[in-house]
Amino acid sequence: MNLICKAAFVLLAAVSPVYACAQSLTGKLKEYLNTSSLPAMQYPKEVKEFYSLNEYHFSWLTGQNTANLMLLAKYIQASGESGLEAQDYQPGLFKAYASAQFAPVNETDSLWAEVMFTDAAIHYLHDVMMGNRPEPFSYDGLKYTPSCYNIAALLNSYLSLNRFESLTRELEPRQTEYLAVKSTLNLFQKAMASAGFKDAYVTASKTVSNNKPLLTRLYQLGLLKSDTISLSEAAVKTKLKEAQKMFSLLSDGELRSTIIDALNVPLHTRVTELKNTLNTIRWLHCIKQEKHVILVNIPSASLLLYEHGKVVLESRIIVGKRSTPTPTLSSTITEVILYPYWNVPYKIATKELLPAIKRNPGYINANNYQVLNSSGKVMDPYKINWRSLGPGNFPYTIRQSTGCDNALGLIKLNFYNPFSVYLHDTPGKNLFGLNKRYFSHGCMRLEKAMELGRYILKENTTALDTLTEKGCLKNQAPIVVPASEKIPVFVLYHTTWTDAEANLRFYEDVYNKFSVPKNK
């Protein structure tokens, strides 16, 4: 290659077109991609596929292609607006490009730069469309990885059709829940970027117009247009009610400790929460579009059933209390059990039930329990020496039989996991009226258990119809009905979440998974 070709790829904002050596460079690029000494890349397979599709032409460093490189740099520079991190995408290379300090001195340098820019483009596009990291689970039974897009083909298409300027606008998710989270993220980012920004710290508990820190905080949260506006006490209360609703608290306009604590969480912590949620929405985008999927979020104590990207059922749920938390997991619902037994977990049986049984063995029959030995035989509770038993010596299983007082209600939705948790009905419906629903031993109680069961069973709902007609039957043997469709279920933990109407709320970190400092 002649000296002109070798020097053709100086990374400046405007690079002179070098068409004379294009054919030679195409061969060199193909040869370079087939060597064993390629640089470390995030997506080497996709990079090779991209160049195979475009017949090994340079896409960033020749002629008019440099305009696309400038656009790519702009996209990555603004990636924070989508909850991403610009430093994930070849930051050293883009920094050198932006400052015009990088000048390849030989052919290999030029090939290296071209390939690394493509890797950055594919990496960025992947993260925008399908998330930049997988969801963390205590048990991951699905091993789900989003793969509904061919990123290499998409990138090639947008470049070859001269539509690269529309890339992010057209390919970033457009679901209403995604847009709601992103909008709030951008609002908070804008507040933090303003000159002299400092988190307002609310201390006074009076909802009055001269509570300056309160007004400033409401402004920083986007609830006021200005922190210098003059408001009546009634108007301040109205805005405070909006804040209480945002933080899933009693909306009464009173400055109690709960809302003060929520207001005083630093804005950068809220930004982190929003970024995590935004990523999860992207990460789940493929599976939500392809099939039915159930999403349970623990902090919001809610369940959403999606059908091809649309919410078709929303239900309040009750999740585990702090001492017995509901685990995060992914699995598949395989069956619906009507009139389920409740096999009392060992810890509950020995620590909670056994003391009551020792005081009065009649507790067993009074609460519709049965005692089973290791062979599964039902034992007479009055013939057991309960006094000799304890947490380290309990060779029995306590089972609650079916009936109106069964802890699992009339229906149980089964999916495999090592924690023995599941979705189920409950006779205690009154707790669903509370904002904070953290009361269970780890299982998830459903307000709309019948509706979800009917959806899962689809045409096979005869048994469920019979159950609805007959109601709770005491000592009815359980009926196992296979799911008509094995629906994926994800149990997530996000302190920022949306409901079926894409209303965004912040929730208590009930299990203290995140260390959230207060403003000082």
Side-chain angles (χ1 to χ4, degrees):
M1 178 175 286
N2 60 41
L3 292 176
I4 295 177
C5 288
K6 288 184 178 180
F9 308 109
V10 177
L11 296 183
L12 301 174
V15 178
S16 299
V18 184
Y19 302 110
C21 51
Q23 185 175 1
S24 175
L25 291 176
T26 297
K28 291 292 184 181
L29 181 55
K30 183 176 183 179
E31 180 182 334
Y32 180 70
L33 287 168
N34 288 319
T35 64
S36 59
S37 57
L38 278 175
M41 293 181 284
Q42 291 290 328
Y43 292 92
K45 179 182 176 182
E46 288 80 359
V47 168
K48 290 182 178 181
E49 181 184 357
F50 169 80
Y51 284 110
S52 175
L53 290 169
N54 84 345
E55 298 181 335
Y56 300 96
H57 288 103
F58 273 55
S59 294
W60 313 106
L61 302 180
T62 57
Q64 63 183 10
N65 291 331
T66 57
N68 290 331
L69 180 53
M70 293 176 68
L71 273 174
L72 177 60
K74 182 180 178 182
Y75 286 145
I76 290 176
Q77 186 179 12
S79 60
E81 297 174 8
S82 298
L84 302 173
E85 304 293 336
Q87 65 219 34
D88 289 343
Y89 314 106
Q90 301 297 336
L93 185 57
F94 279 99
K95 183 178 179 181
Y97 167 70
S99 60
Q101 292 178 350
F102 182 83
V105 297
N106 56 40
E107 174 186 292
T108 302
D109 283 352
S110 298
L111 293 167
W112 172 85
E114 168 71 21
V115 166
M116 295 309 283
F117 278 128
T118 298
D119 185 58
I122 290 174
H123 189 179
Y124 166 75
L125 188 53
H126 174 279
D127 290 357
V128 163
M129 299 180 73
M130 295 186 288
N132 60 354
R133 61 189 177 280
E135 189 75 7
F137 293 115
S138 297
Y139 168 73
D140 186 7
L142 289 175
K143 306 296 183 186
Y144 162 71
T145 300
S147 58
C148 57
Y149 298 105
N150 185 321
I151 301 298
L154 276 171
L155 179 61
N156 177 64
S157 176
Y158 272 78
L159 287 171
S160 61
L161 296 174
N162 295 319
R163 295 178 56 205
F164 196 62
E165 191 173 1
S166 306
L167 184 81
T168 299
R169 183 174 66 254
E170 294 182 1
L171 296 182
E172 190 172 12
R174 305 301 298 171
Q175 308 112 294
T176 52
E177 61 265 39
Y178 180 87
L179 296 176
V181 177
K182 184 180 177 182
S183 175
T184 303
L185 170 66
N186 295 162
L187 184 72
F188 289 1
Q189 289 173 326
K190 182 179 179 181
M192 292 174 63
S194 61
F197 170 81
K198 184 178 180 181
D199 282 296
Y201 186 54
V202 181
T203 56
S205 59
K206 293 184 178 180
T207 314
V208 292
S209 57
N210 63 356
N211 189 340
K212 177 64 176 175
L214 173 61
L215 296 184
T216 300
R217 197 53 168 171
L218 293 174
Y219 166 69
Q220 292 173 344
L221 292 171
L223 300 175
L224 287 178
K225 292 183 178 180
S226 169
D227 60 347
T228 59
I229 191 172
S230 178
L231 295 176
S232 66
E233 184 173 333
V236 174
K237 282 182 175 290
T238 298
K239 289 299 178 181
L240 184 59
K241 288 178 181 179
E242 291 182 31
Q244 289 171 320
K245 192 173 182 180
M246 175 187 287
F247 295 118
S248 311
L249 298 170
L250 177 64
S251 183
D252 62 358
E254 297 297 325
L255 263 177
R256 295 187 174 86
S257 60
T258 50
I259 183 61
I260 290 176
D261 287 345
L263 290 169
N264 287 337
V265 172
L267 218 56
H268 73 80
T269 300
R270 297 301 186 193
V271 164
T272 298
E273 292 178 284
L274 290 162
K275 285 182 177 181
N276 289 339
T277 301
L278 206 60
N279 177 74
T280 295
I281 294 173
R282 283 191 293 255
W283 185 72
L284 290 168
H285 178 69
C286 287
I287 196 168
K288 284 163 63 177
Q289 300 300 316
E290 293 170 353
K291 56 180 70 176
H292 306 135
V293 62
I294 292 170
L295 302 185
V296 170
N297 186 48
I298 296 169
S300 62
S302 63
L303 176 147
L304 295 172
L305 170 64
Y306 283 85
E307 179 179 324
H308 303 299
K310 303 293 184 182
V311 177
V312 293
L313 186 145
E314 180 178 27
S315 177
R316 294 184 178 192
I317 64 173
I318 292 167
V319 294
K321 52 193 173 184
R322 285 184 175 88
S323 58
T324 55
T326 297
T328 58
L329 59 88
S330 72
S331 190
T332 303
I333 293 180
T334 55
E335 61 188 14
V336 176
I337 301 177
L338 313 180
Y339 303 107
Y341 287 134
W342 179 41
N343 292 306
V344 182
Y346 186 87
K347 186 180 292 186
I348 299 175
T350 56
K351 290 191 175 183
E352 298 183 25
L353 301 189
L354 184 58
I357 297 169
K358 284 182 176 181
R359 290 191 295 270
N360 176 18
Y363 180 89
I364 294 289
N365 292 331
N367 290 278
N368 201 23
Y369 288 118
Q370 297 172 322
V371 183
L372 282 66
N373 64 13
S374 57
S375 300
K377 180 182 177 182
V378 177
M379 306 295 291
D380 183 345
Y382 291 97
K383 294 182 178 180
I384 296 174
N385 182 5
W386 294 104
R387 295 289 176 183
S388 66
L389 304 178
N393 175 33
F394 195 80
Y396 301 105
T397 296
I398 295 181
R399 180 178 74 187
Q400 189 175 38
S401 189
T402 56
C404 292
D405 56 354
N406 184 280
L408 305 188
L410 299 178
I411 183 172
K412 170 184 173 183
L413 290 77
N414 243 356
F415 48 87
Y416 175 77
N417 65 89
F419 313 110
S420 298
V421 298
Y422 32 81
L423 292 158
H424 66 86
D425 185 25
T426 176
K429 309 292 187 184
N430 58 313
L431 294 178
F432 290 116
L434 301 177
N435 278 344
K436 297 183 178 182
R437 299 182 294 278
Y438 317 121
F439 301 107
S440 82
H441 287 88
C443 284
M444 293 152 277
R445 308 174 198 169
L446 277 163
E447 183 177 32
K448 297 182 180 178
M450 291 299 176
E451 291 92 328
L452 184 57
R454 191 173 299 278
Y455 193 92
I456 291 170
L457 293 180
K458 295 191 184 309
E459 295 84 9
N460 192 19
T461 58
T462 303
L464 192 57
D465 293 336
T466 302
L467 179 149
T468 304
E469 292 171 7
K470 294 183 177 180
C472 48
L473 300 176
K474 194 168 184 177
N475 297 323
Q476 164 69 46
I479 302 171
V480 179
V481 185
S484 298
E485 177 186 350
K486 294 182 178 180
I487 298 181
V489 56
F490 294 90
V491 180
L492 313 166
Y493 192 95
H494 283 279
T495 49
T496 299
W497 202 242
T498 59
D499 61 16
E501 285 74 42
N503 297 307
L504 176 67
R505 300 285 183 266
F506 293 90
Y507 297 92
E508 180 183 0
D509 180 13
V510 61
Y511 299 160
N512 297 317
K513 283 180 174 279
F514 311 116
S515 177
V516 180
K518 295 180 181 179
N519 286 325
K520 293 184 179 179

